[in-house]
Amino acid sequence: IAGITQAPTSQILAAGRRMTLRCTQDMRHNAMYWYRQDLGLGLRLIHYSNTAGTTGKGEVPDGYSVSRANTDDFPLTLASAVPSQTSVYFCASSIEPNSPLHFGNGTRLTVT
Amino acid sequence: DQQVKQNSPSLSVQEGRISILNCDYTNSMFDYFLWYKKYPAEGPTFLISISSIKDKNEDGRFTVFLNKSAKHLSLHIVPSQPGDSAVYFCAARGGATNKLIFGTGTLLAVQP
């Protein structure tokens, strides 16, 4: 079934550790995104990529980095995790930057 | 500063009745609005959208209304079904970054 795959589904991480959340899509969508969902704050955009080889900063980029080496993969890296990065992370993609987003099922990350 | 606001965290409706979910925005540059539906442990899924050149868009049981002068949109679900129970996010796009900005979500519970 075509769609977006996120891994891991959940993770408990010690503060200060490095972590990469994986995201792969098989729909050949040009644009990809990373959002975090927090209670009372909704979904906030961390980073995005309009096409392979390009990335941009969203609303809350600090503490996160991304890369887009090819169309299918868009990993999100926390270089040194902090407790405030405890959240549910959603990867999304769209055919074009202005098309509706398709979301993965999320990664629940707890930083202790 | 929350540019897209959903002031009702939750809503309970009887099966068969109308559900009305509300959303307010502050940025007059927003020109495209979407509603997403989210079940627990899943990613949000696109439901319906509306462009700022229209004031109504209908798709089956779902209708979105846009009042540009009031910077307000609403989602009507008629008739409501227990399977509609989910968190609903409104989102808006336009302005400098042209990226989707999400509201905080409303949890809809449809009682059988």
Side-chain angles (χ1 to χ4, degrees), chain A residues 40 48 90 98 101 103-105, chain B residues 36 38 43-44 93 98-99 103-104:
Chain A
Y48 65 92
F90 288 100
N98 289 341
L101 273 57
F103 284 86
N105 284 335
Chain B
Y36 282 80
K38 184 185 179 304
R93 189 184 67 215
N98 207 33
K99 294 294 172 262
T104 51

Side-chain angles (χ1 to χ4, degrees), chain B residues 76-91:
Chain B
H76 293 210
I77 307 173
V78 182
S80 301
Q81 300 172 353
D84 296 329
S85 298
V87 176
Y88 289 79
F89 290 99
C90 68

Side-chain angles (χ1 to χ4, degrees), chain B residues 24-87:
Chain B
D24 297 293
Y25 61 95
T26 58
N27 190 338
S28 59
M29 297 297 290
F30 287 150
D31 58 8
Y32 190 62
F33 305 87
L34 305 88
W35 284 94
Y36 282 80
K37 175 181 179 179
K38 184 185 179 304
Y39 292 120
E42 294 184 11
T45 55
F46 170 69
L47 193 57
I48 193 169
S49 64
I50 188 167
S51 164
S52 60
I53 63 173
K54 301 175 79 172
D55 55 16
K56 177 183 174 181
N57 188 26
E58 190 171 356
D59 183 4
R61 296 186 297 113
F62 302 90
T63 302
V64 56
F65 295 92
L66 176 62
N67 182 334
K68 290 186 289 294
S69 61
K71 295 191 180 68
H72 177 83
L73 67 155
S74 60
L75 175 68
H76 293 210
I77 307 173
V78 182
S80 301
Q81 300 172 353
D84 296 329
S85 298
V87 176

